[in-house]
Amino acid sequence: MAYSLRLPRKFKQWKVKIRDRETVEPPHVTLLRKTQAWRIDLRTGKFMDAEPDPDDVPEGLVKVIKAEGNWQ
């Protein structure tokens, strides 16, 4: 079952999921907005794909995810 992260209201158009059945790839969080998806590696904290452009993701959203994930 996928884990969904609750976000502040200002990010209401975004969804954040960690899917548990993706065994081929490194563990990652998926950021979803409409039909686009960005993936962030949970081990390194870096975006896994060049497309769509990682600069399209608000910096505040990435900070919320990293704070919630406790990536120390």
Side-chain angles (χ1 to χ4, degrees):
M1 184 161 121
Y3 172 76
S4 295
L5 178 65
R6 295 187 63 143
L7 299 172
R9 290 182 57 89
K10 67 180 179 178
F11 299 117
K12 67 181 179 180
Q13 70 271 17
W14 292 87
K15 291 182 181 178
V16 178
K17 298 196 179 279
I18 299 175
R19 297 185 175 111
D20 59 349
R21 295 190 181 189
E22 296 187 18
T23 58
V24 177
E25 299 173 328
H28 61 275
V29 60
T30 304
L31 310 171
L32 303 161
R33 186 184 69 195
K34 297 183 182 181
T35 60
Q36 295 182 311
W38 295 260
R39 300 179 308 155
I40 300 176
D41 189 312
L42 289 174
R43 293 183 179 140
T44 65
K46 297 181 181 181
F47 283 90
M48 296 173 65
D49 307 302
E51 290 294 324
D53 189 1
D55 290 336
D56 292 342
V57 178
E59 189 175 322
L61 178 59
V62 175
K63 286 181 181 179
V64 167
I65 294 167
K66 286 185 177 184
E68 185 69 27
N70 194 14
W71 291 348
Q72 298 297 328

